[in-house]
Amino acid sequence: MSKLPGNAGVSVLGDKSLEFYRDPVSFCQQRVEKHRSRVFQSRMLNRPTAFICSVQGMKELLCDKSNVFLKDPTDLMTNVYGDTLVTTNGEEACLLRLSLTTLFTGSCLQSSNDYITSVCERCLKDLSLSGQPECVYSTFKRLGTELVLGLFLNVRAEEQPELFQEIMQLCTQHWHGLISAPVNVKVPLWSSGFSTALEARDKLMDIIKDKLENDTQGFVGSLGSLPLPDSSSASQHLLLFISALIPKALASLLTSFTLALSGNKQTRQRAMEDPDYLRTVLLEVQRLWPPFIGGRRLADQDSTLAGFRVPKDYGVIYISHSVHRDPEVFQQPDDFLPERWSGRNAGQEHYLCSFGNGPRSCIGTKLTDVFLKEACMYLLKHYDWCLDPPSQDLEYKWLPVSRPANPPTISFTRLDQTRSDRSDTV
Ligand code: HEM
């Protein structure tokens, strides 16, 4: 059993949180190269922390040893979203997952299909209308917001535009307060952004509670009647589900999809005609550009990861960007090769961690999958697209979600009716 490569520095002065937040990908790349190891240590949030950049390390952390490496109940997420599944451990987390997953599977998920179809149609039908290039990330974020507010709160932009607008603004204020908090301070009560966020949260909570009391339909209705640990649990989770984070993650994936396929007519044609090929394209999109950089755990006891000793109370962070480019599993790791998923990497989807992995993986994966396929199929059936202007700086930033730092613009050309009619019958 070896000591983790690197060093965890001295308290406060040795903290590397800011360096990490500035550019997490370079932070990890530099250290992986320096230590010649995809697992190393540094100091984050003023705590010695193991960084996991290998598939093997990620699998041990999130699957085999998930009872040793636990969620941090004092995470910033708790300050802003309250007590939710995200920061809960043990039996309580199991019970919450059991209850909540019923909302995202089976008949509940099925009944969302019509809404997903209609919201994609509404938000994507006019992409070529202005004749001007579209800022795709903003368009897709609006689509994601219409999806979550319509689905989770029964507030539809076309039916209640003012309420929709108000909630969207409150969610944004709430979110900006969360990220304005200094990264190394747990309860940043003096930050003005943070107090605006708390005000926005209170207003959102009033709207949510009103919905839970008076709306018996759809997701809100089902959530209201679920067995949950206490009376505030349903409202806290709704606050989480409608948070700005989910539309951002959806917009991140859709933006990466349109960029990967821009100007590539043959790949688009194939993805439109062959659902299995579209599946491999989407796997490759999430492999190369996972929306979230990763996740964090705390070691509840002395343990090991990938053969390295991890002492009790160490933090552990898995970096999905680096795990997904582990050359042990993914040959030519930086290349966009959808075919790998029907060849060498067939059946290895469980080596990805864009949606986490193991018993604490994302409960919204199926819903996201249905939504992404619908949105991507809509784009493929109705448009040709290319970067406009053709040369743009597409360098990615990774926080809070992955996307090009300079918002890319894309021109969409509507395909002629004959072709979309033909594809409707395929
Ligand atoms: C593109 C969309 C999404 C991405 C990329 C994503 C990603 C993730 C990731 C990486 C985790 C694991 C975090 C960790 O290991 O610490 C996670 C957990 C979670 N996600 Fe998602 N998610 C998405 C959509 C959704 C949706 C639509 C919902 C539900 C409304 C949702 C609800 C949750 C919850 C409740 C957890 C916590 C699960 C637990 O701790 O047991 N996510 N998600």
Side-chain angles (χ1 to χ4, degrees), residues 362-397:
C362 178
I363 61 170
T365 316
K366 282 208 179 99
L367 173 68
T368 305
D369 191 52
V370 172
F371 167 74
L372 278 181
K373 286 197 173 132
E374 189 73 29
C376 293
M377 268 316 266
Y378 190 93
L379 292 173
L380 292 166
K381 277 186 182 175
H382 294 90
Y383 297 105
D384 265 344
W385 66 86
C386 60
L387 274 178
D388 186 5
S391 171
Q392 296 181 37
D393 176 7
L394 297 178
E395 182 140 354
Y396 267 64
K397 65 170 194 157

PDB file of all heavy atoms in Angstrom, residues 362-397:
ATOM      1  N   CYS A 362     -26.856   9.631 -10.232  1.00  0.00           N
ATOM      2  CA  CYS A 362     -27.938  10.601 -10.457  1.00  0.00           C
ATOM      3  C   CYS A 362     -29.292   9.907 -10.599  1.00  0.00           C
ATOM      4  O   CYS A 362     -29.421   8.927 -11.336  1.00  0.00           O
ATOM      5  CB  CYS A 362     -27.621  11.359 -11.736  1.00  0.00           C
ATOM      6  SG  CYS A 362     -28.873  12.545 -12.194  1.00  0.00           S
ATOM      7  N   ILE A 363     -30.312  10.460  -9.926  1.00  0.00           N
ATOM      8  CA  ILE A 363     -31.644   9.845 -10.064  1.00  0.00           C
ATOM      9  C   ILE A 363     -32.382  10.393 -11.289  1.00  0.00           C
ATOM     10  O   ILE A 363     -33.448   9.890 -11.633  1.00  0.00           O
ATOM     11  CB  ILE A 363     -32.514  10.040  -8.796  1.00  0.00           C
ATOM     12  CG1 ILE A 363     -32.741  11.531  -8.516  1.00  0.00           C
ATOM     13  CG2 ILE A 363     -31.902   9.367  -7.586  1.00  0.00           C
ATOM     14  CD1 ILE A 363     -33.785  11.758  -7.420  1.00  0.00           C
ATOM     15  N   GLY A 364     -31.804  11.403 -11.936  1.00  0.00           N
ATOM     16  CA  GLY A 364     -32.475  11.983 -13.109  1.00  0.00           C
ATOM     17  C   GLY A 364     -31.912  11.476 -14.433  1.00  0.00           C
ATOM     18  O   GLY A 364     -32.229  12.024 -15.486  1.00  0.00           O
ATOM     19  N   THR A 365     -31.087  10.410 -14.392  1.00  0.00           N
ATOM     20  CA  THR A 365     -30.424   9.949 -15.623  1.00  0.00           C
ATOM     21  C   THR A 365     -31.414   9.544 -16.716  1.00  0.00           C
ATOM     22  O   THR A 365     -31.252   9.923 -17.875  1.00  0.00           O
ATOM     23  CB  THR A 365     -29.521   8.723 -15.319  1.00  0.00           C
ATOM     24  OG1 THR A 365     -28.807   8.990 -14.125  1.00  0.00           O
ATOM     25  CG2 THR A 365     -28.552   8.466 -16.428  1.00  0.00           C
ATOM     26  N   LYS A 366     -32.446   8.781 -16.334  1.00  0.00           N
ATOM     27  CA  LYS A 366     -33.391   8.291 -17.365  1.00  0.00           C
ATOM     28  C   LYS A 366     -34.143   9.458 -17.991  1.00  0.00           C
ATOM     29  O   LYS A 366     -34.304   9.528 -19.202  1.00  0.00           O
ATOM     30  CB  LYS A 366     -34.385   7.301 -16.739  1.00  0.00           C
ATOM     31  CG  LYS A 366     -33.805   5.927 -16.528  1.00  0.00           C
ATOM     32  CD  LYS A 366     -34.908   4.860 -16.581  1.00  0.00           C
ATOM     33  CE  LYS A 366     -34.311   3.488 -16.382  1.00  0.00           C
ATOM     34  NZ  LYS A 366     -34.453   3.001 -14.994  1.00  0.00           N
ATOM     35  N   LEU A 367     -34.607  10.357 -17.117  1.00  0.00           N
ATOM     36  CA  LEU A 367     -35.324  11.531 -17.612  1.00  0.00           C
ATOM     37  C   LEU A 367     -34.434  12.331 -18.566  1.00  0.00           C
ATOM     38  O   LEU A 367     -34.857  12.742 -19.654  1.00  0.00           O
ATOM     39  CB  LEU A 367     -35.753  12.410 -16.427  1.00  0.00           C
ATOM     40  CG  LEU A 367     -36.353  13.753 -16.788  1.00  0.00           C
ATOM     41  CD1 LEU A 367     -37.705  13.580 -17.461  1.00  0.00           C
ATOM     42  CD2 LEU A 367     -36.505  14.635 -15.551  1.00  0.00           C
ATOM     43  N   THR A 368     -33.184  12.524 -18.170  1.00  0.00           N
ATOM     44  CA  THR A 368     -32.245  13.280 -19.000  1.00  0.00           C
ATOM     45  C   THR A 368     -32.035  12.572 -20.339  1.00  0.00           C
ATOM     46  O   THR A 368     -31.996  13.219 -21.387  1.00  0.00           O
ATOM     47  CB  THR A 368     -30.887  13.425 -18.269  1.00  0.00           C
ATOM     48  OG1 THR A 368     -31.144  14.013 -16.998  1.00  0.00           O
ATOM     49  CG2 THR A 368     -29.927  14.292 -19.028  1.00  0.00           C
ATOM     50  N   ASP A 369     -31.941  11.249 -20.290  1.00  0.00           N
ATOM     51  CA  ASP A 369     -31.736  10.469 -21.501  1.00  0.00           C
ATOM     52  C   ASP A 369     -32.900  10.661 -22.478  1.00  0.00           C
ATOM     53  O   ASP A 369     -32.707  10.915 -23.667  1.00  0.00           O
ATOM     54  CB  ASP A 369     -31.586   8.994 -21.094  1.00  0.00           C
ATOM     55  CG  ASP A 369     -31.105   8.147 -22.242  1.00  0.00           C
ATOM     56  OD1 ASP A 369     -30.084   8.535 -22.840  1.00  0.00           O
ATOM     57  OD2 ASP A 369     -31.747   7.126 -22.559  1.00  0.00           O
ATOM     58  N   VAL A 370     -34.127  10.557 -21.937  1.00  0.00           N
ATOM     59  CA  VAL A 370     -35.312  10.723 -22.789  1.00  0.00           C
ATOM     60  C   VAL A 370     -35.306  12.130 -23.394  1.00  0.00           C
ATOM     61  O   VAL A 370     -35.512  12.320 -24.599  1.00  0.00           O
ATOM     62  CB  VAL A 370     -36.610  10.509 -21.958  1.00  0.00           C
ATOM     63  CG1 VAL A 370     -37.844  10.872 -22.762  1.00  0.00           C
ATOM     64  CG2 VAL A 370     -36.691   9.078 -21.457  1.00  0.00           C
ATOM     65  N   PHE A 371     -35.050  13.108 -22.559  1.00  0.00           N
ATOM     66  CA  PHE A 371     -35.069  14.504 -23.019  1.00  0.00           C
ATOM     67  C   PHE A 371     -34.003  14.752 -24.088  1.00  0.00           C
ATOM     68  O   PHE A 371     -34.270  15.342 -25.132  1.00  0.00           O
ATOM     69  CB  PHE A 371     -34.864  15.434 -21.821  1.00  0.00           C
ATOM     70  CG  PHE A 371     -34.571  16.841 -22.223  1.00  0.00           C
ATOM     71  CD1 PHE A 371     -35.578  17.646 -22.729  1.00  0.00           C
ATOM     72  CD2 PHE A 371     -33.290  17.358 -22.131  1.00  0.00           C
ATOM     73  CE1 PHE A 371     -35.308  18.952 -23.138  1.00  0.00           C
ATOM     74  CE2 PHE A 371     -33.016  18.651 -22.533  1.00  0.00           C
ATOM     75  CZ  PHE A 371     -34.024  19.450 -23.037  1.00  0.00           C
ATOM     76  N   LEU A 372     -32.783  14.281 -23.820  1.00  0.00           N
ATOM     77  CA  LEU A 372     -31.687  14.537 -24.767  1.00  0.00           C
ATOM     78  C   LEU A 372     -31.971  13.908 -26.125  1.00  0.00           C
ATOM     79  O   LEU A 372     -31.766  14.529 -27.167  1.00  0.00           O
ATOM     80  CB  LEU A 372     -30.382  13.941 -24.239  1.00  0.00           C
ATOM     81  CG  LEU A 372     -29.616  14.758 -23.218  1.00  0.00           C
ATOM     82  CD1 LEU A 372     -28.352  14.027 -22.833  1.00  0.00           C
ATOM     83  CD2 LEU A 372     -29.280  16.135 -23.785  1.00  0.00           C
ATOM     84  N   LYS A 373     -32.465  12.668 -26.092  1.00  0.00           N
ATOM     85  CA  LYS A 373     -32.742  11.994 -27.369  1.00  0.00           C
ATOM     86  C   LYS A 373     -33.807  12.759 -28.140  1.00  0.00           C
ATOM     87  O   LYS A 373     -33.706  12.947 -29.345  1.00  0.00           O
ATOM     88  CB  LYS A 373     -33.156  10.550 -27.125  1.00  0.00           C
ATOM     89  CG  LYS A 373     -31.938   9.738 -26.722  1.00  0.00           C
ATOM     90  CD  LYS A 373     -32.118   8.262 -26.842  1.00  0.00           C
ATOM     91  CE  LYS A 373     -30.766   7.592 -26.580  1.00  0.00           C
ATOM     92  NZ  LYS A 373     -30.847   6.501 -25.643  1.00  0.00           N
ATOM     93  N   GLU A 374     -34.831  13.221 -27.432  1.00  0.00           N
ATOM     94  CA  GLU A 374     -35.907  13.959 -28.089  1.00  0.00           C
ATOM     95  C   GLU A 374     -35.363  15.262 -28.697  1.00  0.00           C
ATOM     96  O   GLU A 374     -35.624  15.568 -29.858  1.00  0.00           O
ATOM     97  CB  GLU A 374     -36.998  14.267 -27.039  1.00  0.00           C
ATOM     98  CG  GLU A 374     -38.270  14.845 -27.583  1.00  0.00           C
ATOM     99  CD  GLU A 374     -39.131  13.839 -28.342  1.00  0.00           C
ATOM    100  OE1 GLU A 374     -39.072  12.637 -28.023  1.00  0.00           O
ATOM    101  OE2 GLU A 374     -39.845  14.288 -29.267  1.00  0.00           O
ATOM    102  N   ALA A 375     -34.611  16.016 -27.902  1.00  0.00           N
ATOM    103  CA  ALA A 375     -34.091  17.310 -28.385  1.00  0.00           C
ATOM    104  C   ALA A 375     -33.126  17.091 -29.555  1.00  0.00           C
ATOM    105  O   ALA A 375     -33.200  17.786 -30.571  1.00  0.00           O
ATOM    106  CB  ALA A 375     -33.396  18.049 -27.240  1.00  0.00           C
ATOM    107  N   CYS A 376     -32.242  16.100 -29.430  1.00  0.00           N
ATOM    108  CA  CYS A 376     -31.258  15.865 -30.496  1.00  0.00           C
ATOM    109  C   CYS A 376     -31.955  15.393 -31.770  1.00  0.00           C
ATOM    110  O   CYS A 376     -31.608  15.822 -32.874  1.00  0.00           O
ATOM    111  CB  CYS A 376     -30.210  14.843 -30.054  1.00  0.00           C
ATOM    112  SG  CYS A 376     -29.176  15.491 -28.731  1.00  0.00           S
ATOM    113  N   MET A 377     -32.951  14.515 -31.629  1.00  0.00           N
ATOM    114  CA  MET A 377     -33.672  14.038 -32.816  1.00  0.00           C
ATOM    115  C   MET A 377     -34.393  15.195 -33.489  1.00  0.00           C
ATOM    116  O   MET A 377     -34.453  15.265 -34.717  1.00  0.00           O
ATOM    117  CB  MET A 377     -34.686  12.938 -32.451  1.00  0.00           C
ATOM    118  CG  MET A 377     -34.150  11.545 -32.553  1.00  0.00           C
ATOM    119  SD  MET A 377     -33.186  11.224 -34.035  1.00  0.00           S
ATOM    120  CE  MET A 377     -34.414  10.579 -35.094  1.00  0.00           C
ATOM    121  N   TYR A 378     -34.947  16.085 -32.689  1.00  0.00           N
ATOM    122  CA  TYR A 378     -35.634  17.234 -33.282  1.00  0.00           C
ATOM    123  C   TYR A 378     -34.646  18.046 -34.131  1.00  0.00           C
ATOM    124  O   TYR A 378     -34.931  18.395 -35.275  1.00  0.00           O
ATOM    125  CB  TYR A 378     -36.271  18.135 -32.205  1.00  0.00           C
ATOM    126  CG  TYR A 378     -37.173  19.176 -32.824  1.00  0.00           C
ATOM    127  CD1 TYR A 378     -38.534  18.948 -32.975  1.00  0.00           C
ATOM    128  CD2 TYR A 378     -36.642  20.364 -33.327  1.00  0.00           C
ATOM    129  CE1 TYR A 378     -39.356  19.881 -33.602  1.00  0.00           C
ATOM    130  CE2 TYR A 378     -37.441  21.303 -33.955  1.00  0.00           C
ATOM    131  CZ  TYR A 378     -38.796  21.059 -34.086  1.00  0.00           C
ATOM    132  OH  TYR A 378     -39.601  21.982 -34.718  1.00  0.00           O
ATOM    133  N   LEU A 379     -33.481  18.307 -33.565  1.00  0.00           N
ATOM    134  CA  LEU A 379     -32.472  19.083 -34.299  1.00  0.00           C
ATOM    135  C   LEU A 379     -32.052  18.354 -35.574  1.00  0.00           C
ATOM    136  O   LEU A 379     -31.997  18.939 -36.655  1.00  0.00           O
ATOM    137  CB  LEU A 379     -31.240  19.316 -33.414  1.00  0.00           C
ATOM    138  CG  LEU A 379     -31.440  20.233 -32.208  1.00  0.00           C
ATOM    139  CD1 LEU A 379     -30.198  20.239 -31.317  1.00  0.00           C
ATOM    140  CD2 LEU A 379     -31.757  21.660 -32.665  1.00  0.00           C
ATOM    141  N   LEU A 380     -31.783  17.046 -35.448  1.00  0.00           N
ATOM    142  CA  LEU A 380     -31.292  16.281 -36.604  1.00  0.00           C
ATOM    143  C   LEU A 380     -32.335  16.221 -37.724  1.00  0.00           C
ATOM    144  O   LEU A 380     -31.999  16.295 -38.900  1.00  0.00           O
ATOM    145  CB  LEU A 380     -30.932  14.852 -36.168  1.00  0.00           C
ATOM    146  CG  LEU A 380     -29.724  14.723 -35.230  1.00  0.00           C
ATOM    147  CD1 LEU A 380     -29.672  13.344 -34.589  1.00  0.00           C
ATOM    148  CD2 LEU A 380     -28.428  15.000 -35.996  1.00  0.00           C
ATOM    149  N   LYS A 381     -33.611  16.081 -37.337  1.00  0.00           N
ATOM    150  CA  LYS A 381     -34.660  15.930 -38.349  1.00  0.00           C
ATOM    151  C   LYS A 381     -34.957  17.247 -39.057  1.00  0.00           C
ATOM    152  O   LYS A 381     -35.400  17.243 -40.193  1.00  0.00           O
ATOM    153  CB  LYS A 381     -35.959  15.460 -37.688  1.00  0.00           C
ATOM    154  CG  LYS A 381     -36.044  13.980 -37.473  1.00  0.00           C
ATOM    155  CD  LYS A 381     -37.431  13.653 -36.967  1.00  0.00           C
ATOM    156  CE  LYS A 381     -37.597  12.191 -36.675  1.00  0.00           C
ATOM    157  NZ  LYS A 381     -38.905  11.918 -36.090  1.00  0.00           N
ATOM    158  N   HIS A 382     -34.772  18.355 -38.353  1.00  0.00           N
ATOM    159  CA  HIS A 382     -35.259  19.616 -38.914  1.00  0.00           C
ATOM    160  C   HIS A 382     -34.182  20.560 -39.419  1.00  0.00           C
ATOM    161  O   HIS A 382     -34.496  21.514 -40.125  1.00  0.00           O
ATOM    162  CB  HIS A 382     -36.134  20.350 -37.890  1.00  0.00           C
ATOM    163  CG  HIS A 382     -37.401  19.601 -37.590  1.00  0.00           C
ATOM    164  ND1 HIS A 382     -37.492  18.672 -36.592  1.00  0.00           N
ATOM    165  CD2 HIS A 382     -38.608  19.627 -38.199  1.00  0.00           C
ATOM    166  CE1 HIS A 382     -38.713  18.167 -36.586  1.00  0.00           C
ATOM    167  NE2 HIS A 382     -39.410  18.724 -37.549  1.00  0.00           N
ATOM    168  N   TYR A 383     -32.915  20.313 -39.052  1.00  0.00           N
ATOM    169  CA  TYR A 383     -31.904  21.323 -39.407  1.00  0.00           C
ATOM    170  C   TYR A 383     -30.587  20.739 -39.906  1.00  0.00           C
ATOM    171  O   TYR A 383     -30.182  19.650 -39.508  1.00  0.00           O
ATOM    172  CB  TYR A 383     -31.547  22.176 -38.177  1.00  0.00           C
ATOM    173  CG  TYR A 383     -32.685  22.991 -37.626  1.00  0.00           C
ATOM    174  CD1 TYR A 383     -33.327  22.603 -36.446  1.00  0.00           C
ATOM    175  CD2 TYR A 383     -33.120  24.138 -38.283  1.00  0.00           C
ATOM    176  CE1 TYR A 383     -34.376  23.348 -35.926  1.00  0.00           C
ATOM    177  CE2 TYR A 383     -34.178  24.886 -37.770  1.00  0.00           C
ATOM    178  CZ  TYR A 383     -34.793  24.490 -36.595  1.00  0.00           C
ATOM    179  OH  TYR A 383     -35.826  25.224 -36.089  1.00  0.00           O
ATOM    180  N   ASP A 384     -29.954  21.550 -40.761  1.00  0.00           N
ATOM    181  CA  ASP A 384     -28.516  21.458 -40.979  1.00  0.00           C
ATOM    182  C   ASP A 384     -27.919  22.563 -40.130  1.00  0.00           C
ATOM    183  O   ASP A 384     -28.568  23.591 -39.933  1.00  0.00           O
ATOM    184  CB  ASP A 384     -28.183  21.764 -42.448  1.00  0.00           C
ATOM    185  CG  ASP A 384     -28.072  20.497 -43.254  1.00  0.00           C
ATOM    186  OD1 ASP A 384     -27.947  19.415 -42.643  1.00  0.00           O
ATOM    187  OD2 ASP A 384     -28.123  20.593 -44.492  1.00  0.00           O
ATOM    188  N   TRP A 385     -26.721  22.394 -39.652  1.00  0.00           N
ATOM    189  CA  TRP A 385     -26.144  23.517 -38.901  1.00  0.00           C
ATOM    190  C   TRP A 385     -24.622  23.564 -39.038  1.00  0.00           C
ATOM    191  O   TRP A 385     -23.985  22.541 -39.349  1.00  0.00           O
ATOM    192  CB  TRP A 385     -26.571  23.499 -37.438  1.00  0.00           C
ATOM    193  CG  TRP A 385     -26.083  22.363 -36.587  1.00  0.00           C
ATOM    194  CD1 TRP A 385     -24.903  22.289 -35.916  1.00  0.00           C
ATOM    195  CD2 TRP A 385     -26.801  21.156 -36.262  1.00  0.00           C
ATOM    196  NE1 TRP A 385     -24.842  21.112 -35.194  1.00  0.00           N
ATOM    197  CE2 TRP A 385     -25.983  20.405 -35.383  1.00  0.00           C
ATOM    198  CE3 TRP A 385     -28.047  20.635 -36.626  1.00  0.00           C
ATOM    199  CZ2 TRP A 385     -26.372  19.162 -34.861  1.00  0.00           C
ATOM    200  CZ3 TRP A 385     -28.441  19.401 -36.113  1.00  0.00           C
ATOM    201  CH2 TRP A 385     -27.606  18.682 -35.246  1.00  0.00           C
ATOM    202  N   CYS A 386     -24.078  24.766 -38.854  1.00  0.00           N
ATOM    203  CA  CYS A 386     -22.622  24.939 -38.893  1.00  0.00           C
ATOM    204  C   CYS A 386     -22.229  26.149 -38.046  1.00  0.00           C
ATOM    205  O   CYS A 386     -23.062  27.016 -37.770  1.00  0.00           O
ATOM    206  CB  CYS A 386     -22.132  25.116 -40.325  1.00  0.00           C
ATOM    207  SG  CYS A 386     -22.854  26.538 -41.113  1.00  0.00           S
ATOM    208  N   LEU A 387     -20.977  26.171 -37.633  1.00  0.00           N
ATOM    209  CA  LEU A 387     -20.472  27.300 -36.844  1.00  0.00           C
ATOM    210  C   LEU A 387     -20.551  28.565 -37.699  1.00  0.00           C
ATOM    211  O   LEU A 387     -20.208  28.533 -38.876  1.00  0.00           O
ATOM    212  CB  LEU A 387     -19.004  27.066 -36.497  1.00  0.00           C
ATOM    213  CG  LEU A 387     -18.674  26.259 -35.257  1.00  0.00           C
ATOM    214  CD1 LEU A 387     -17.168  26.112 -35.141  1.00  0.00           C
ATOM    215  CD2 LEU A 387     -19.238  26.927 -34.013  1.00  0.00           C
ATOM    216  N   ASP A 388     -20.988  29.653 -37.122  1.00  0.00           N
ATOM    217  CA  ASP A 388     -21.091  30.905 -37.856  1.00  0.00           C
ATOM    218  C   ASP A 388     -20.756  32.058 -36.913  1.00  0.00           C
ATOM    219  O   ASP A 388     -21.532  32.333 -35.999  1.00  0.00           O
ATOM    220  CB  ASP A 388     -22.521  31.030 -38.416  1.00  0.00           C
ATOM    221  CG  ASP A 388     -22.664  32.241 -39.314  1.00  0.00           C
ATOM    222  OD1 ASP A 388     -21.660  32.911 -39.568  1.00  0.00           O
ATOM    223  OD2 ASP A 388     -23.802  32.498 -39.758  1.00  0.00           O
ATOM    224  N   PRO A 389     -19.603  32.718 -37.069  1.00  0.00           N
ATOM    225  CA  PRO A 389     -18.580  32.535 -38.104  1.00  0.00           C
ATOM    226  C   PRO A 389     -17.866  31.176 -37.973  1.00  0.00           C
ATOM    227  O   PRO A 389     -17.820  30.604 -36.876  1.00  0.00           O
ATOM    228  CB  PRO A 389     -17.610  33.694 -37.827  1.00  0.00           C
ATOM    229  CG  PRO A 389     -17.860  34.105 -36.408  1.00  0.00           C
ATOM    230  CD  PRO A 389     -19.277  33.780 -36.109  1.00  0.00           C
ATOM    231  N   PRO A 390     -17.285  30.690 -39.097  1.00  0.00           N
ATOM    232  CA  PRO A 390     -16.713  29.338 -39.102  1.00  0.00           C
ATOM    233  C   PRO A 390     -15.541  29.159 -38.140  1.00  0.00           C
ATOM    234  O   PRO A 390     -15.307  28.055 -37.654  1.00  0.00           O
ATOM    235  CB  PRO A 390     -16.230  29.148 -40.545  1.00  0.00           C
ATOM    236  CG  PRO A 390     -16.800  30.273 -41.332  1.00  0.00           C
ATOM    237  CD  PRO A 390     -17.229  31.356 -40.400  1.00  0.00           C
ATOM    238  N   SER A 391     -14.813  30.248 -37.886  1.00  0.00           N
ATOM    239  CA  SER A 391     -13.686  30.112 -36.967  1.00  0.00           C
ATOM    240  C   SER A 391     -14.012  30.809 -35.635  1.00  0.00           C
ATOM    241  O   SER A 391     -14.210  32.031 -35.606  1.00  0.00           O
ATOM    242  CB  SER A 391     -12.450  30.732 -37.632  1.00  0.00           C
ATOM    243  OG  SER A 391     -11.422  30.789 -36.697  1.00  0.00           O
ATOM    244  N   GLN A 392     -14.133  30.024 -34.563  1.00  0.00           N
ATOM    245  CA  GLN A 392     -14.441  30.582 -33.239  1.00  0.00           C
ATOM    246  C   GLN A 392     -13.535  29.928 -32.201  1.00  0.00           C
ATOM    247  O   GLN A 392     -13.107  28.784 -32.385  1.00  0.00           O
ATOM    248  CB  GLN A 392     -15.907  30.304 -32.874  1.00  0.00           C
ATOM    249  CG  GLN A 392     -16.899  30.970 -33.787  1.00  0.00           C
ATOM    250  CD  GLN A 392     -18.355  30.692 -33.388  1.00  0.00           C
ATOM    251  OE1 GLN A 392     -18.711  30.621 -32.217  1.00  0.00           O
ATOM    252  NE2 GLN A 392     -19.204  30.538 -34.400  1.00  0.00           N
ATOM    253  N   ASP A 393     -13.281  30.661 -31.131  1.00  0.00           N
ATOM    254  CA  ASP A 393     -12.480  30.092 -30.051  1.00  0.00           C
ATOM    255  C   ASP A 393     -13.385  29.174 -29.221  1.00  0.00           C
ATOM    256  O   ASP A 393     -14.268  29.654 -28.518  1.00  0.00           O
ATOM    257  CB  ASP A 393     -11.923  31.241 -29.187  1.00  0.00           C
ATOM    258  CG  ASP A 393     -11.165  30.703 -27.988  1.00  0.00           C
ATOM    259  OD1 ASP A 393     -10.963  29.468 -27.909  1.00  0.00           O
ATOM    260  OD2 ASP A 393     -10.775  31.515 -27.127  1.00  0.00           O
ATOM    261  N   LEU A 394     -13.168  27.869 -29.337  1.00  0.00           N
ATOM    262  CA  LEU A 394     -14.056  26.918 -28.657  1.00  0.00           C
ATOM    263  C   LEU A 394     -13.423  26.329 -27.400  1.00  0.00           C
ATOM    264  O   LEU A 394     -13.817  25.253 -26.934  1.00  0.00           O
ATOM    265  CB  LEU A 394     -14.455  25.790 -29.615  1.00  0.00           C
ATOM    266  CG  LEU A 394     -15.268  26.234 -30.841  1.00  0.00           C
ATOM    267  CD1 LEU A 394     -15.581  25.057 -31.743  1.00  0.00           C
ATOM    268  CD2 LEU A 394     -16.561  26.921 -30.417  1.00  0.00           C
ATOM    269  N   GLU A 395     -12.445  27.017 -26.864  1.00  0.00           N
ATOM    270  CA  GLU A 395     -11.798  26.500 -25.644  1.00  0.00           C
ATOM    271  C   GLU A 395     -12.815  26.406 -24.509  1.00  0.00           C
ATOM    272  O   GLU A 395     -13.549  27.372 -24.231  1.00  0.00           O
ATOM    273  CB  GLU A 395     -10.646  27.412 -25.246  1.00  0.00           C
ATOM    274  CG  GLU A 395      -9.952  26.863 -24.049  1.00  0.00           C
ATOM    275  CD  GLU A 395      -8.425  27.019 -24.122  1.00  0.00           C
ATOM    276  OE1 GLU A 395      -7.898  27.454 -25.162  1.00  0.00           O
ATOM    277  OE2 GLU A 395      -7.817  26.701 -23.127  1.00  0.00           O
ATOM    278  N   TYR A 396     -12.854  25.236 -23.858  1.00  0.00           N
ATOM    279  CA  TYR A 396     -13.867  25.003 -22.818  1.00  0.00           C
ATOM    280  C   TYR A 396     -13.476  25.587 -21.471  1.00  0.00           C
ATOM    281  O   TYR A 396     -12.303  25.642 -21.122  1.00  0.00           O
ATOM    282  CB  TYR A 396     -14.082  23.490 -22.645  1.00  0.00           C
ATOM    283  CG  TYR A 396     -15.220  22.952 -23.488  1.00  0.00           C
ATOM    284  CD1 TYR A 396     -15.162  23.001 -24.877  1.00  0.00           C
ATOM    285  CD2 TYR A 396     -16.358  22.400 -22.894  1.00  0.00           C
ATOM    286  CE1 TYR A 396     -16.207  22.510 -25.655  1.00  0.00           C
ATOM    287  CE2 TYR A 396     -17.405  21.909 -23.664  1.00  0.00           C
ATOM    288  CZ  TYR A 396     -17.321  21.966 -25.043  1.00  0.00           C
ATOM    289  OH  TYR A 396     -18.361  21.485 -25.800  1.00  0.00           O
ATOM    290  N   LYS A 397     -14.500  26.054 -20.743  1.00  0.00           N
ATOM    291  CA  LYS A 397     -14.322  26.231 -19.301  1.00  0.00           C
ATOM    292  C   LYS A 397     -15.123  25.105 -18.643  1.00  0.00           C
ATOM    293  O   LYS A 397     -16.007  24.510 -19.290  1.00  0.00           O
ATOM    294  CB  LYS A 397     -14.791  27.609 -18.864  1.00  0.00           C
ATOM    295  CG  LYS A 397     -16.282  27.878 -19.032  1.00  0.00           C
ATOM    296  CD  LYS A 397     -16.624  29.173 -18.346  1.00  0.00           C
ATOM    297  CE  LYS A 397     -18.124  29.310 -18.187  1.00  0.00           C
ATOM    298  NZ  LYS A 397     -18.522  30.200 -17.140  1.00  0.00           N
TER     299      LYS A 397
END
